[in-house]
Amino acid sequence: MLSKDQEYQVFETDEPLMSVTSSLINTEDAITKTNLVDGKLAAPIKFYGHYCDRMDMYAPSQTVAEYLNTHHEWFVHCAKPMKVKPLGENGYALVIGKFGAFNYEVEPKIGLELLPPEAGIYRIQTIPVPDYTPCGYDVDYRARLHLVENPAEDFSTNSQQITGVEWELDLTVYVHFPKFIQRLPKSLIQNTGDKLLNQIVRQVSRRLTRQVQENFHQSIGVSFPIKR
């Protein structure tokens, strides 16, 4: 379980991105029909995680920076199996997949903007998705990336340099649970939600990291040592 302000290291895997549970209650019906207290929505429960990791690229930092700056050419493809739709010049609408617990599920859809670098720092933040209102949840996504170049020590590649894309993510999710879940102990809801949030981040980052690495090295003709 990941607690607040704890760092979580992400590793590659072949684990598929999938729902945690099945045959669950429809989110919209549950929120609109069973979560009202005196005619108002009950206060949401907050889940937060701080995550960090590194994505290695076998190329000079300038080459990696040029690749990151042309994300519109590869991001939609590399984000599969998530459903991704471009929003403007630097934004994307992403459907993450279905996740849930306690016979209740959500299918998160968020807008992200990949901002141009400032002083060598890349930032990603949430943006509204046009004509879409999240039902029962709200997401605040704030990520920071920077490049660290070092000599390559792995002689299985034909690159003399390795650039680490080091990133940090502060992710906050607010969920309006229906009343039948609010009857459960608050600690049980909090712990289960934290574990589920960590699982989503872990699965998405693993697959996205591997697919971006493979796409990048293929695009520059550099062999990439796959580590399991």
Side-chain angles (χ1 to χ4, degrees):
M1 182 188 70
L2 179 67
S3 60
K4 184 176 181 180
D5 295 327
Q6 181 178 354
E7 293 184 351
Y8 186 87
Q9 295 296 322
V10 182
F11 302 94
E12 291 189 52
T13 182
D14 287 327
E15 179 182 359
L17 182 64
M18 61 183 297
S19 173
V20 180
T21 53
S22 60
S23 303
L24 301 178
I25 293 175
N26 180 270
T27 305
E28 185 172 359
D29 290 343
I31 292 298
T32 57
K33 296 180 181 180
T34 66
N35 198 35
L36 297 178
V37 178
D38 296 329
K40 299 180 180 180
L41 281 175
I45 295 180
K46 174 183 175 181
F47 304 97
Y48 168 79
H50 177 78
Y51 310 86
C52 65
D53 203 1
R54 170 185 170 118
M55 177 173 63
D56 287 337
M57 304 295 218
Y58 286 78
S61 58
Q62 180 60 36
T63 303
V64 177
E66 292 173 357
Y67 178 80
L68 296 179
N69 292 336
T70 58
H71 54 79
H72 59 277
E73 297 180 359
W74 51 264
F75 184 78
V76 172
H77 169 73
C78 290
K80 293 180 180 178
M82 292 186 292
K83 300 177 182 178
V84 183
K85 179 180 179 182
L87 295 177
E89 183 177 355
N90 295 310
Y92 301 90
L94 296 87
V95 179
I96 309 299
K98 290 185 178 181
F99 296 86
F102 303 125
N103 288 328
Y104 174 76
E105 73 176 14
V106 295
E107 186 175 24
K109 180 178 182 180
I110 62 174
L112 295 180
E113 183 178 20
L114 283 62
L115 299 173
E118 293 186 3
I121 303 297
Y122 295 81
R123 299 184 186 277
I124 306 174
Q125 63 185 20
T126 45
I127 57 174
V129 177
D131 303 318
Y132 175 75
T133 301
C135 183
Y137 69 92
D138 190 25
V139 178
D140 184 15
Y141 183 108
R142 299 179 185 274
R144 299 162 298 283
L145 303 85
H146 69 281
L147 307 182
V148 178
E149 184 178 284
N150 294 293
E153 298 179 356
D154 191 333
F155 297 102
S156 64
T157 72
N158 54 357
S159 173
Q160 300 299 314
Q161 294 172 301
I162 181 172
T163 298
V165 182
E166 298 186 353
W167 58 266
E168 293 184 65
L169 168 63
D170 289 298
L171 180 60
T172 306
V173 180
Y174 300 89
V175 181
H176 290 275
F177 285 109
K179 288 197 297 183
F180 77 89
I181 290 182
Q182 295 179 34
R183 297 189 184 100
L184 298 173
K186 177 68 177 297
S187 60
L188 176 61
I189 298 175
Q190 190 73 56
N191 292 340
T192 302
D194 286 340
K195 292 174 68 174
L196 185 56
L197 182 64
N198 296 339
Q199 178 181 3
I200 295 173
V201 174
R202 182 174 64 250
Q203 290 188 8
V204 171
S205 61
R206 284 170 172 172
R207 184 178 293 273
L208 182 60
T209 294
R210 185 175 71 245
Q211 293 181 165
V212 170
Q213 286 175 316
E214 292 175 350
N215 180 270
F216 169 75
H217 292 94
Q218 185 179 45
S219 71
I220 63 173
V222 172
S223 58
F224 175 57
I226 299 178
K227 299 178 180 179
R228 298 299 183 190

